[in-house]
Structure formats: C-alpha cells, structure tokens
Amino acid sequence: MNAIEHLRDTLRAIVGPAGVISEPTELRTYECDGLAGYRVTPALVVLPSSSAEVAEVVAACHRAQIPFVARGAGTGLSGGALPVADGVVVSLQRMRAVLEVDPTNHRAVVEPGVTNLAISQAASAYDLYYAPDPSSQQVCTIGGNVAENSGGAHCLKYGFTTHHVLALEAVLPDGTLVWLGGDSPEVAGPDLRGLVVGSEGTLAVVTKVVVRLLRKPETVRTLLADFPSIEQAADTVTGIIAAGVVPAAMEIMDQLAIEASEAAVGAGYTLDTPAALVIELDGPADECGELFETVQKICHANGTTKIRIAADDTERARIWTGRKAAFAAMGRISPNYFVQDGVVPRTRLTEALSTIAAMGAEASLRVANVFHAGDGNLHPLVLYDESRGEHDRAEKLSKAIAELCVDLGGSLSGEHGIGTDKACSMPVMFGKEDLATMDRVRRAFDPDGLCNPGKVLPTPRLCGEKPGPYRPHPLEAAGVIERL
Ligand SMILES: Cc1cc2nc3c(=O)[nH]c(=O)nc-3n(C[C@H](O)[C@H](O)[C@H](O)COP(=O)(O)OP(=O)(O)OC[C@H]3O[C@@H](n4cnc5c(N)ncnc54)[C@H](O)[C@@H]3O)c2cc1C
C-alpha cells in the first residue's frame, strides 16, 4: 500500500467512506477554481463535517507529510484552491451551519462552508446584515472570503472582510485546533486573527468564523448614470470623493461589460453608452437625500447623458443584478476570459484605463472593464478564444495589466488574492527581503510547507525567477510610504 492509499484509509476512518473521494472522474470536479486555465487533479478529496474532523484530517496529512489545500465553493479567481498533485483537497462544503445569531451583540458564529449571502439571510430577521458582499455572494463561502480577505461593491464605505471578522477557530498545519481573536475588536498581543485573514489558505484551515453584523440602513438611494466615456465616469468618482461624499458603493461598467450583462440578465442598462456608473448612498433619510442631490450635480458636471434613479427596492435590485452578473456574463461575448484584479490610486483611474485600452489594442485582444471604482479596484476582463491559440497572449496581457497597477502606485490584488495566478509577479511589488519575511511568517505556522504550498509566494521552480535587485515601490519613491 502506498502513502496515498494508506492516507485514504485513515481519512475514511475519520469522516466515513462517503466523505473521501478517490475516483479519478470524481476528483476532476475539484481540479480548478474560477481560474479555470490552471488544472491539477488531486490524489484525494476529503469532506469533513466538524472542526474535530478537520483537525484529525489535517493531523493525518501532517503525519504522512502530504500537502493539503482547503476549498470552499471554488469561486476564487486567482487559483488559490488549485489542488496539489498527489495532495489532498479539504472541502468545507459539509460545514454549512449558521451556529448562532446574537442580535444583542450584533454578531454571528458560522461554519466555514456557509455562503456569504446565507449570513445576511439568517441575520435579516433581526434587521441586521453582513456587510462585505462579493458579487459571487450567493455561492462563495465565508471560509473562502476570510482566506481571500474578500471585498465587494459595498466595501468602499464598510471595509473588507477583515473589518467584519472578530474571531476565528482554525486548524493549524499540524492539526492543532486554536481560536484567534476575541469578542472585542481589540485583543492583547499580536493580531493573529488579522494575519490569517487574507493568508489565502496558507497558514491554517478556518473551521468557525465570528462575524460582525450591521444594522440595515434606514434609507438606500441608488442611481445608474450613463457617460460618453469611461474617463468621464472615472472623473465623476474622483469628484464625488473629493467633495467629501463616501457612497456605500460606486461601480463602473464599460460598453463591453454592459453588452455581456444585458445579454445575460437584461437589467435595462443602455446598450450603446460607453460607460455606466452605479452609485448607492445609504444612511439616515435626510443626509442621504441631500448627498444624493450633490452626487447628481457632480454627474452632470462630468457630462452624464442619462440618470436612472431606482424608484423602489425592485428597481434597485435590478440595477445590482446587471452589475453583479457582469463577470459570469462574459461567456455571452467571448468563449474564454481572464478576470484581472489590481488596484490603482483613485486619482490615476483614467490613466490606468486608457493605458489598458492601448495595451489591449496592441495585443489585438478585447478588454472589458467592470470595477469597484470607489476603491480604485480594477477588474479588467481580457477576452480571448482558446481555440484560436490566443491563450498565451491573453495571459501575458493580463499579467502586464496587473504589473501596470503596481507601476501606477497601486497593488497586484484588490480582493481576489495572489494565489497561483500572480505569485510570479510578487517580486514586481516586493523586494527580496520583504518576500523572505513573508516566507518566515509562513514557516512559523507551517514549517513543513504542507498547507496550500506553491501559492502567493514565488518559488524558483514555479517562476524561474532570479531574485533581482531591490526596486522601490512608486509610493516609496514618492515619499508617501517608508521602508522600516
Ligand atoms: C462571478 C464572480 C464574482 C466575484 N466577485 C467578487 C467580488 O466582488 N469580490 C471579491 O473579493 N471576490 C469576488 N470573486 C472571487 C471569489 O468569489 C472570492 O475570492 C471568494 O471569497 C472565494 O470563496 P470560495 O468559497 O469560492 O473559496 P475557494 O475558491 O474555494 O478558495 C479560495 C481560497 O480560500 C482558501 N480557503 C477556502 N476555504 C478555506 C477555509 N475554510 N480555511 C482556509 N482557507 C480556505 C482556499 O485554499 C483558496 O486559497 C468573484 C468570483 C466570481 C466567480
């Protein structure tokens, strides 16, 4: 019996025979996440049902020195849940219980396989909700959200996952079960909870999450404004923030994205407008009404050609359906696409967008844009046709766009993580010493390198990189940030 067969039997004893998948055809279901261009078939998939089972599963992998990768819904877009060949995928899909909603303390305790939307649905009876709202919220899990520090349209005002996670129960790579964080937002000692949030499944497997719930706002006002150019839509975003208004959300879609979304869901966006901007304000009715007027004036000052104001919740939901369907709708206008995720300072949005358009034209590839404009978080979608041999050109363009964001003073990722996709670009943003420090932190949790190896940090084997000389980040060169 080889090591994998031995581990398979051990895992069957822990979770029951039905909780271990080893048939090659069934394993293929788990061979990729939302970054479907990368595929690896794992040796085994295990589906534990409790924290204790996860701890036993991880301890068994550790004893056998076999790598493992945690997996939620597999909607990740950076290849974070890509399996390791000859390794184990730990699927958290059986752990889907909302264990507690505490309306007095505005918090909930949930298992990692609970979907993002299910938390708000469970809290809704108490007039509460969970704020971070990735567009994949109907299917993505809170465990995946924690691992990616996921964002969403309303993170402009309310912050990212890390601002809404009070505590975590997690299994360390040797199988030890720990609690990190606590009931209050401030706990003594280093913030290990904060370290695990956003670590892309490389430090621990999250088995319970204590989330903060917010009271639903008194009023929500939403509009959809058309613009003659994407640059004018972007200038409107900058103008609104400069005027001191912080909307709950500001999202831009360009003409290609609108075309795809309309073909999929028909939410009533204008088909021939070069850009549309969704703006949502929430809060007390008086304040919202006044700021909504200010926002409309700024739209007009930047040349809006049409403003559609949501008259009620149904129309508001329709506008959001159009925006949230945009990624998945790309299949309507292109057989294949890469979703990129970079951040630029808001003031450089227009420059970034025109450079991306020029790069697309030079590569003879179409690039659609849908993005969280208020955060400067771009999502260029590079469209290509695999059957016409365009994959490598599209991948190169997508990588170049991410690296452009760094050159403009931004970041390689806003919310989708680094994963497999951008590990090799990390040296563009971080010096050798920074990467070595990150590696030391990782090894403090996982000295044997078993927990989601090959993700986030570049390795010479994956990237063939030779550590180059130190390159200051543009913000460092400009004196905005400092290297300590
Ligand atoms: C149509 C579409 C729209 C999207 N919109 C957004 C958006 O608006 N904002 C946004 O931020 N993202 C968005 N995403 C990306 C994706 O949905 C998020 O990254 C999400 O958090 C992934 O959750 P998941 O359950 O699918 O995780 P998976 O894809 O299964 O895993 C993602 C990462 O988390 C790790 N992981 C999963 N569960 C655990 C766990 N319990 N413990 C430790 N590590 C774990 C995995 O190892 C992997 O590294 C979108 C994706 C799609 C397909």
Side-chain angles (χ1 to χ4, degrees):
M1 199 187 266
N2 67 27
I4 289 292
E5 287 165 345
H6 184 70
L7 181 62
R8 180 198 59 201
D9 291 353
T10 308
L11 297 182
R12 280 181 181 160
I14 297 168
V15 302
V20 179
I21 298 171
S22 56
E23 281 301 314
T25 44
E26 292 178 39
L27 288 171
R28 291 199 59 192
T29 309
Y30 297 87
E31 69 185 3
C32 69
D33 60 8
L35 185 74
Y38 294 84
R39 288 165 193 257
V40 175
T41 308
L44 299 169
V45 174
V46 57
L47 296 119
S49 301
S50 66
S51 304
E53 284 188 4
V54 175
E56 282 191 66
V57 162
V58 170
C61 292
H62 183 256
R63 273 195 308 276
Q65 290 287 289
I66 289 178
F68 54 90
V69 178
R71 181 181 170 107
T75 65
L77 292 168
S78 58
L82 186 76
V84 177
D86 299 325
V88 175
V89 167
V90 182
S91 166
L92 284 311
Q93 282 294 332
R94 286 188 174 175
M95 296 175 65
R96 302 173 76 101
V98 174
L99 299 170
E100 183 192 344
V101 176
D102 174 353
T104 312
N105 293 303
H106 288 200
R107 39 161 249 166
V109 184
V110 299
E111 289 190 319
V114 169
T115 65
N116 172 293
L117 191 60
I119 302 176
S120 289
Q121 285 168 341
S124 184
Y126 307 99
D127 219 23
L128 299 172
Y129 77 111
Y130 176 67
D133 59 339
S135 302
S136 51
Q137 67 184 152
Q138 291 188 4
V139 280
C140 69
T141 67
I142 188 70
N145 292 178
V146 167
E148 301 290 5
N149 188 20
S150 295
H154 292 81
C155 292
L156 170 62
K157 181 169 178 182
Y158 293 104
F160 284 67
T161 301
T162 193
H163 304 113
H164 299 270
V165 170
L166 289 167
L168 298 169
E169 182 194 68
V171 175
L172 300 179
D174 66 355
T176 310
L177 193 63
V178 295
W179 271 100
L180 306 173
D183 274 343
S184 74
E186 181 58 48
V187 285
D191 181 12
L192 297 176
R193 172 216 61 91
L195 195 56
V196 169
V197 179
S199 63
E200 304 191 25
T202 62
L203 302 183
V205 180
V206 173
T207 47
K208 282 193 189 87
V209 188
V210 182
V211 295
R212 209 153 68 90
L213 301 173
L214 301 186
R215 170 107 15 237
K216 288 185 192 167
E218 180 187 317
T219 316
V220 183
R221 304 292 309 271
T222 308
L223 66 76
L224 176 65
D226 295 347
F227 286 89
S229 72
I230 196 158
E231 287 79 9
Q232 281 162 283
D235 287 344
T236 305
V237 168
T238 312
I240 288 170
I241 299 286
V245 182
V246 182
M250 282 199 284
E251 302 280 306
I252 292 181
M253 287 167 68
D254 71 4
Q255 193 166 357
L256 264 182
I258 293 169
E259 187 189 325
S261 169
E262 280 300 300
V265 296
Y269 282 56
T270 312
L271 271 176
D272 58 0
T273 188
L277 172 59
V278 179
I279 305 174
E280 186 157 284
L281 298 178
D282 65 11
D286 286 359
E287 181 189 308
C288 240
E290 193 183 316
L291 295 179
F292 206 56
E293 296 298 321
T294 308
V295 161
Q296 288 175 67
K297 279 189 197 137
I298 298 171
C299 289
H300 285 297
N302 283 286
T304 181
T305 48
K306 180 175 154 193
I307 294 184
R308 170 179 152 197
I309 295 175
D312 51 30
D313 283 352
T314 310
E315 203 179 344
R316 185 162 76 84
R318 208 163 159 238
I319 291 175
W320 279 112
T321 300
R323 162 60 187 89
K324 295 203 172 187
F327 284 5
M330 284 300 142
R332 300 277 179 152
I333 59 167
S334 174
N336 309 95
Y337 60 94
F338 278 112
V339 183
Q340 193 41 275
D341 163 49
V343 184
V344 295
R346 246 185 329 252
T347 47
R348 302 192 78 174
L349 268 175
T350 50
E351 185 184 353
L353 291 165
S354 50
T355 310
I356 290 168
M359 289 161 79
E362 200 184 320
S364 304
L365 291 170
R366 293 180 299 164
V367 182
N369 287 287
V370 187
F371 55 101
H372 307 310
D375 295 311
N377 184 186
L378 299 173
H379 289 319
L381 295 126
V382 178
L383 313 185
Y384 68 98
D385 186 344
E386 177 109 50
S387 69
R388 292 170 58 183
E390 292 175 351
H391 175 277
D392 290 357
R393 196 153 29 106
E395 188 178 41
K396 200 168 149 204
L397 174 60
S398 183
K399 182 169 185 271
I401 290 174
E403 296 183 2
L404 166 77
C405 292
V406 178
D407 286 342
L408 290 175
S411 164
L412 281 176
S413 171
E415 54 182 16
H416 297 170
I418 300 297
T420 307
D421 189 30
K422 286 188 273 191
C424 297
S425 293
M426 286 288 272
V428 174
M429 184 157 174
F430 297 102
K432 209 170 75 178
E433 294 78 8
D434 301 318
L435 294 170
T437 304
M438 290 180 206
D439 190 44
R440 278 203 296 278
V441 170
R442 187 170 178 166
R443 282 177 194 284
F445 280 75
D446 182 23
D448 299 321
L450 298 173
C451 191
N452 210 3
K455 313 292 165 60
V456 186
L457 295 179
T459 63
R461 187 179 64 77
L462 286 177
C463 311
E465 90 271 20
K466 299 175 237 22
Y470 159 67
R471 252 173 39 126
H473 185 276
L475 289 181
E476 199 184 338
V480 178
I481 58 170
E482 191 183 346
R483 179 170 300 264
L484 299 171

